[in-house]
Amino acid sequence: MKNNTVELLAPAGSPEGVRAAVQSGAGAVYMGFGSFNARRGAKGFTADEMAEAIAYCRARGVKSNITLNILAGDRELDAAVEDAKFLYEAGADALIVQDLGLARLIHAHAPDFALHASTQMTVHTLDGARQAKEMGFSRVVLSRECPAEAVRRITAEAGIETEVFVHGALCMCYSGQCYLSAVIGRRSGNRGLCAQPCRLPYDGGYPLSLKDLALAGHVAALADMGVSSLKIEGRMKRPEYTAIVTKIYADLLRERRGPTEEEKDTLRRVFSRDGFTDGYYTGRKGAEMFGIKTDLPLSEVQALYHEAARRFEPGKEAPLVPVYMHFTARRDTGAVLSVDGVSSAAPVEDAQKRALTSEMVEKSLRKTGGTPFWTDRLRIELEDGLMLPAAAINSMRRDALALLLARRAAPPARDWVDEAAPDENGLVRLAHGFRGFTASVRTAAQAEALAGLGLETIYAPVTVAAETGLPATLPRVFSDTEQPEIEMLLGKAMSRGTDTVLIGNIGQAMLARRMGVTVHGDFGLNAFNCQTLEALAELGVKRQTLSFEARLAQVRDMAGPLESELIVYGRLPLMIFENCAIRGRHGGKCRCEDGVTYLTDRKKERFPLLPEYGCRNTLLGNRPLCLREDFARLGVHTARLLFTIETPEECAHIARAFLAGAPLEGEFTSGLYKRGVE
């Protein structure tokens, strides 16, 4: 989708941050509001401040994109929808949303409200972007891990706007797929309170701490691709940071060039982690992408901060909005100034000495300092022999521009449909009724050990399913260049009897439908409420694994037009990496076939690292989950045993215990089902 006008999207965590972004050249600002945004720790906005911020942006020709980008429980959806209604009526341009159920509700109430698929939705493929478009999103915020070719292809072929992060913090895990902070500290990244445990030391080093992203040298290329929006991360950072980084990227975008050495140094001094990286974008992954925060003396950055702060002081205005002024002065009508549809007037007199000239009028009308306007075009028509003081012309200009500013700031007329309900498309909620246990395995030997025990379903990786015909688990992450191999493996599995796939990303639903297999949804789809189950059913999902970040009470709340499944045993998958940490732990050498690699934290807890398709990794929990409940009472249809590093014999022993209701010995955790997350 070619786009000649590229938006620079800057962060703002406070009203000061909004001024900093706008006065430094942002074409759009993204802000969080209320309790449903992924930077709940930022200073934030009151309702009045948010309405003023949206009006401030709109008056200056800058878009406002508001983040409602966390998962919401069923009992929170009404409050989240009320926030969306407030933002809609205040005139926000778009909402950035992660929760599929919340997006579904908002779209029903306000079909014309632009929804942007948050990076937390883990969209990184052409199918993922196309699926987001089918679901009503107008833009996708692509995963930071996308290389240049993926960005180019998705932008050109998906038929939906793309937004790409160009500067700021990089998470080790794909956004939306990180559960480490939640499981070890109850602070969920999917709920806006990530504690950043990836920045902590493991095994005496920092193997999960990436340098900050900087695509300053690729701005022109991204613009040429047709990317709609270039995004700067940093709502938690101070306004001066926003001002400095935004100004540099605005200059680069406007001039279609790379950064100077001075600009690179400024970006480094303002904030970096041992410098910057463009490794994901360029495909140069490895040890050089890692770093920790660089602490500089305040004296090195104080001058930069002071200079930036002057730019967005209250009352300071950059000339952002071009206007057309038409000034006439005649004896019968007096003096009239029209500026883009608003006007002001003043009486005129016959000149006693010096008559009014076009030069005198133009000099006064071009004095637009202190306003966001600048005179782009000017037409002056004067009847001869008239006089009007410069002070009167200045007053006309001030009055007209003040009226214009107020008109531009006013929210648009919009109709929120209060009684709207999403189209159910004939979907009917399934009755409760526990059907039994399922299992997911990693190896053929594990699957073989479980055969004949009475499990309802055994899921195996597509590589194993290709040889066994078992229901296939697709890799949670694979690229467009890898997809042909995935389709080949799935086709081979289908020829051996596979008729079901377990998917972990919305794009994979499209692939499964094309190949004609039954679709089950895995935990990576982050099903946290009934509306999300409805949305997934509309994608063709027949069984959905519920989020393991939900409390048991929330699990009981969730019912939909599909079967529900709960993970009740296993080491939970806490992170998935594009950058191979196993290779990093072994001096850059591939050791995926040499058993399990572990990361050990400061408390001596050991987290297994497992290889995944495409030289990626999954980080597992330090101890297995084990939940023994009355699953029928919870309302789930199946309960899954998640086998990873267990031996085939251990898999069989654990499965028999669950099937028989027998106790298990060992050190286990109940996960978040009873503790919940903040």
Side-chain angles (χ1 to χ4, degrees):
M1 176 175 281
K2 192 68 174 175
N3 183 359
N4 293 322
T5 303
V6 187
E7 160 191 290
L8 180 63
L9 179 59
S14 65
E16 296 83 3
V18 175
R19 293 200 309 270
V22 171
Q23 298 303 321
S24 300
V29 178
Y30 67 102
M31 305 166 268
F33 177 69
S35 302
F36 301 100
N37 78 93
R39 292 292 182 270
R40 288 162 63 194
K43 178 182 176 182
F45 299 78
T46 65
D48 287 344
E49 288 173 339
M50 178 54 68
E52 290 172 7
I54 292 170
Y56 178 89
C57 291
R58 183 171 50 250
R60 290 154 182 80
V62 174
K63 291 186 176 180
S64 53
N65 301 342
I66 315 301
T67 58
L68 257 65
N69 58 339
I70 70 169
L71 303 180
D74 283 286
R75 302 178 195 186
E76 299 172 316
L77 284 175
D78 286 346
V81 169
E82 280 301 309
D83 282 355
K85 179 182 180 182
F86 165 76
L87 295 166
Y88 180 72
E89 293 176 343
D93 289 284
L95 296 181
I96 304 170
V97 182
Q98 173 189 10
D99 191 299
L100 299 179
L102 179 57
R104 186 172 185 268
L105 284 173
I106 294 169
H107 192 68
H109 286 285
D112 62 335
F113 204 176
L115 298 181
H116 296 174
S118 168
T119 189
Q120 296 285 111
M121 280 176 56
T122 327
V123 176
H124 56 280
T125 63
L126 183 58
D127 276 348
R130 286 173 171 166
Q131 186 63 75
K133 181 183 179 183
E134 279 191 13
M135 299 176 78
F137 291 93
S138 60
R139 176 184 293 181
V140 291
V141 186
L142 296 177
S143 295
R144 292 167 174 87
E145 290 82 356
C146 285
E149 187 50 44
V151 174
R152 180 180 293 107
R153 184 181 182 195
I154 294 169
T155 301
E157 300 180 29
I160 186 172
E161 291 183 356
T162 55
E163 182 171 298
V164 174
F165 278 94
V166 294
H167 197 89
L170 278 178
C171 299
M172 184 66 174
C173 180
Y174 272 82
S175 291
Q177 302 300 309
C178 184
Y179 310 96
L180 178 60
S181 177
V183 168
I184 68 174
R186 297 183 60 211
R187 293 183 57 182
S188 168
N190 283 318
R191 297 277 290 166
L193 287 173
C194 179
Q196 298 189 332
C198 55
R199 303 296 181 189
L200 297 176
Y202 296 84
D203 298 301
Y206 294 86
L208 305 182
S209 181
L210 292 170
K211 295 177 180 177
D212 271 23
L213 169 70
L215 298 187
H218 305 283
V219 165
L222 288 163
D224 290 342
M225 289 179 196
V227 170
S228 296
S229 182
L230 307 183
K231 187 171 191 173
I232 298 167
E233 183 274 338
R235 282 193 289 135
M236 294 288 285
K237 294 189 174 70
R238 57 193 295 171
E240 292 88 347
Y241 170 90
T242 294
I244 293 166
V245 177
T246 301
K247 174 67 165 59
I248 289 174
Y249 275 86
D251 291 346
L252 300 182
L253 183 57
R254 183 180 63 255
E255 299 167 17
R256 292 295 204 271
R257 62 172 175 83
T260 64
E261 291 303 316
E262 181 180 1
E263 288 168 332
K264 291 178 184 177
D265 184 61
T266 297
L267 292 172
R268 178 192 62 79
R269 285 192 289 152
V270 170
F271 191 92
S272 79
R273 289 183 171 90
D274 294 334
F276 297 101
T277 181
D278 62 0
Y280 286 141
Y281 182 82
T282 60
R284 296 194 299 264
K285 296 178 287 187
E288 64 276 7
M289 286 188 65
F290 292 82
I292 58 175
K293 182 180 177 182
T294 305
D295 289 315
L296 294 175
L298 183 60
S299 59
E300 280 205 37
V301 294
Q302 199 162 33
L304 288 172
Y305 284 166
H306 286 333
E307 179 186 356
R310 285 195 295 271
R311 190 159 58 244
F312 62 89
E313 288 174 349
K316 285 289 183 72
E317 291 281 3
L320 301 174
V321 182
V323 293
Y324 168 53
M325 293 187 177
H326 183 195
F327 182 92
T328 61
R330 293 197 296 267
R331 285 179 174 81
D332 58 344
T333 61
V336 178
L337 173 62
S338 176
V339 185
D340 285 357
V342 301
S343 60
S344 60
V348 296
E349 300 175 0
D350 287 322
Q352 300 300 314
K353 294 182 180 179
R354 185 181 179 190
L356 189 64
T357 67
S358 295
E359 291 76 16
M360 295 165 61
V361 174
E362 180 172 356
K363 182 178 180 181
S364 289
L365 294 184
R366 290 196 180 277
K367 294 178 179 179
T368 58
T371 79
F373 304 109
W374 60 277
T375 308
D376 179 29
R377 292 185 297 135
L378 179 60
R379 181 182 176 188
I380 300 172
E381 298 177 80
L382 303 177
E383 189 174 336
D384 292 339
L386 297 178
M387 189 272 289
L388 185 65
I393 302 173
N394 290 338
S395 179
M396 293 172 67
R397 182 200 70 239
R398 287 193 294 268
D399 290 347
L401 293 182
L403 285 170
L404 179 60
L405 187 65
R407 191 186 73 176
R408 290 176 60 90
R414 287 173 163 177
D415 293 321
W416 179 273
V417 184
D418 281 312
E419 300 304 318
D423 183 3
E424 300 300 339
N425 294 322
L427 300 176
V428 179
R429 289 193 175 188
L430 293 185
H432 291 173
F434 185 64
R435 298 235 321 263
F437 292 92
T438 70
S440 55
V441 301
R442 290 181 59 88
T443 69
Q446 289 174 325
E448 185 176 353
L450 296 173
L453 296 185
L455 295 170
E456 200 270 351
T457 307
I458 300 174
Y459 301 101
V462 68
T463 50
V464 174
E467 303 300 326
T468 62
L470 288 168
T473 304
L474 297 186
R476 201 169 6 146
V477 174
F478 57 82
S479 67
D480 283 323
T481 57
E482 295 165 333
Q483 184 161 318
E485 182 179 37
I486 296 297
E487 293 185 6
M488 179 273 293
L489 289 167
L490 183 54
K492 187 176 178 182
M494 292 170 66
S495 72
R496 294 181 178 273
T498 295
D499 61 2
T500 301
V501 294
L502 185 63
I503 67 168
N505 185 273
I506 60 168
Q508 296 173 10
M510 189 168 276
L511 181 155
R513 291 199 305 271
R514 282 199 304 268
M515 298 193 71
V517 289
T518 300
V519 184
H520 291 180
D522 209 349
F523 65 89
L525 291 168
N526 290 319
F528 207 69
N529 57 61
C530 291
Q531 284 295 326
T532 295
L533 298 183
E534 300 276 357
L536 292 171
E538 290 168 351
L539 297 191
V541 176
K542 302 301 182 184
R543 175 188 295 170
Q544 178 57 45
T545 306
L546 305 181
S547 169
F548 54 72
E549 292 190 288
R551 290 184 178 90
L552 293 181
Q554 293 172 301
V555 169
R556 285 192 292 271
D557 285 342
M558 279 188 263
L562 39 63
E563 296 177 7
S564 59
E565 180 162 287
L566 197 66
I567 295 175
V568 299
Y569 171 84
R571 290 179 183 264
L572 295 174
L574 304 184
M575 303 177 83
I576 182 165
F577 311 149
E578 182 67 28
N579 209 326
C580 182
I582 296 175
R583 190 183 296 268
R585 294 285 295 119
H586 296 284
K589 298 178 181 179
C590 184
R591 299 289 293 272
C592 292
E593 303 300 324
D594 295 347
V596 180
T597 298
Y598 289 88
L599 288 183
T600 305
D601 70 7
R602 298 172 302 168
K603 298 179 180 179
K604 306 303 180 184
E605 297 286 352
R606 301 174 79 222
F607 297 82
L609 269 173
L610 296 184
E612 296 291 352
Y613 181 83
C615 201
R616 299 176 182 92
N617 304 158
T618 288
L619 182 73
L620 300 178
N622 56 316
R623 58 176 60 89
L625 165 75
C626 186
L627 181 70
R628 311 301 289 268
E629 290 283 331
D630 181 346
F631 298 118
R633 187 179 63 85
L634 285 178
V636 296
H637 297 88
T638 53
R640 188 173 357 145
L641 312 176
L642 181 66
F643 294 120
T644 51
I645 63 174
E646 292 85 357
T647 66
E649 294 75 19
E650 289 170 335
C651 292
H653 171 71
I654 293 164
R656 288 192 182 97
F658 271 91
L659 289 164
L664 275 173
E665 293 184 359
E667 188 176 0
F668 301 109
T669 174
S670 60
L672 296 164
Y673 293 133
K674 297 181 179 180
R675 295 183 295 150
V677 293
E678 296 181 16

